[in-house]
Amino acid sequence: MTSIVEAATGRHGFEVAVILGSGLSDLARSLVGGSPVPYSAVPGMPLSTVQGHEGALYAGEVAKVPTLAFAGRVHLYEGRAPSEVTFAVRAAVEAGCRIVILTNAAGGINPDLDAGSLCLISDHLNLTGSNPLTGPNDDSLGPRFLDLSEVYDASLRAMARSVDQALMEGVYAGLPGPTYETPAEVRMLAAMGADLVGMSTVHEAIMARYLGARVLGLSLVTNAAAGLSPEPLSHDEVAAVGARASGRLEIVVRGVIERAAHLGAPAKGEQGRERPT
Ligand code: HPA
């Protein structure tokens, strides 16, 4: 059967998908190039309403590895359901991708993560109040009770660190937004163990693991989280920092794709260890 991505791009056999968040859409062009397919021409793809999210699919090769780059994503705060937020990941895995690289703009909670820092996501706190796997389970796709003890793949993180030794690692707290946090919420998140805070990624990561893909998460810290700096937070600043720091992000993403081509899917035992509730 023709996949959604094949219907839109005329190509199949992809191995890696990169999803690009706020201010990072330009990276899709420099990474993959070619002529993008607007999301409106991808059957079923939800359209992004946020400035800084282009809404186009780039299909091509990065370091000879067939790669899809999604320039722009949709979020819960746009009124989208978890099934829509995870549409791109599902389409990417259907198109063959076994590695999903999730990028985002995030606020830095850990004081070592100041604006412009790039940070590997080591784990997450899903504080959105929702889960993309809620509802009937299709056992042919993945397990009812998905093990999340290693959402963000350790081998991919090691590869990213071999490309950029200065990369830090941190726990990403995913909130629904669309407001930025209050200073009290940021203190709560710090006490809960979060280093980063943002409004995306956690649902996509869960879905990618469910479908058996390896996940790499990369946050570009665009601002100190609320209350940690005297500056008020603004989306324009988030997008501008994203655009400025995208060169370093591109080097890491390209380096990981080069190194990860041979990895393939995680062994069944690495995924889907079911635990009864
Ligand atoms: N909070 C939530 N999401 C964000 C932030 C933030 O401070 N910066 C960029 N995305």
Side-chain angles (χ1 to χ4, degrees):
M1 221 183 66
T2 310
S3 74
I4 289 164
V5 168
E6 188 177 354
T9 65
R11 303 177 56 153
H12 64 278
F14 292 94
E15 292 178 30
V16 176
V18 188
I19 298 191
L20 296 153
S22 289
L24 300 173
S25 287
D26 286 353
L27 202 72
R29 196 169 309 114
S30 49
L31 203 58
V32 177
S35 337
V37 177
Y39 283 173
S40 55
V42 181
M45 185 82 179
L47 303 184
S48 169
T49 60
V50 189
Q51 176 236 323
H53 286 256
E54 179 185 342
L57 175 59
Y58 290 74
E61 300 203 331
V62 177
K64 301 204 175 72
V65 180
T67 300
L68 288 171
F70 292 85
R73 56 156 61 92
V74 297
H75 306 81
L76 294 174
Y77 62 72
E78 294 171 79
R80 297 299 191 168
S83 58
E84 295 173 292
V85 167
T86 55
F87 186 90
V89 166
R90 289 185 285 124
V93 174
E94 185 199 30
C97 297
R98 290 288 163 260
I99 294 176
V100 174
I101 302 178
L102 302 172
T103 69
N104 60 48
I109 296 176
N110 183 321
D112 292 338
L113 294 172
D114 42 16
S117 311
L118 197 55
C119 186
L120 284 169
I121 301 178
S122 56
D123 202 350
H124 74 219
L125 297 167
N126 176 7
L127 301 175
T128 62
S130 60
N131 189 301
L133 304 181
T134 299
N137 188 58
D138 181 346
D139 294 336
S140 69
L141 295 179
R144 171 75 293 185
F145 300 109
L146 178 67
D147 174 52
L148 293 184
S149 43
E150 190 185 310
V151 179
Y152 300 91
D153 192 84
S155 324
L156 291 178
R157 276 187 276 148
M159 282 173 196
R161 280 194 307 272
S162 78
V163 179
D164 184 337
Q165 281 81 13
L167 273 180
M168 288 177 277
E169 288 206 15
V171 173
Y172 176 92
L175 271 66
T179 53
Y180 291 114
E181 301 67 40
T182 64
E185 286 164 347
V186 170
R187 289 194 296 277
M188 173 191 75
L189 295 171
M192 290 169 109
D195 299 293
L196 302 151
V197 57
M199 306 174 195
S200 67
T201 303
V202 293
H203 287 67
E204 293 156 313
I206 291 170
M207 183 57 75
R209 291 298 299 126
Y210 174 72
L211 298 173
R214 293 179 188 270
V215 179
L216 181 73
L218 280 162
S219 285
L220 177 61
V221 179
T222 50
N223 55 278
L228 301 179
S229 123
E231 302 297 318
L233 305 189
S234 91
H235 180 70
D236 289 347
E237 183 59 14
V238 165
V241 175
R244 278 203 296 277
S246 66
R248 187 168 164 221
L249 183 59
E250 179 174 348
I251 291 170
V252 174
V253 171
R254 192 179 287 281
V256 168
I257 295 175
E258 268 172 30
R259 288 167 173 74
H262 68 278
L263 260 182
K268 224 23 190 180
E270 280 181 71
Q271 179 244 344
R273 270 171 279 146
E274 284 183 72
R275 297 210 174 118
T277 50

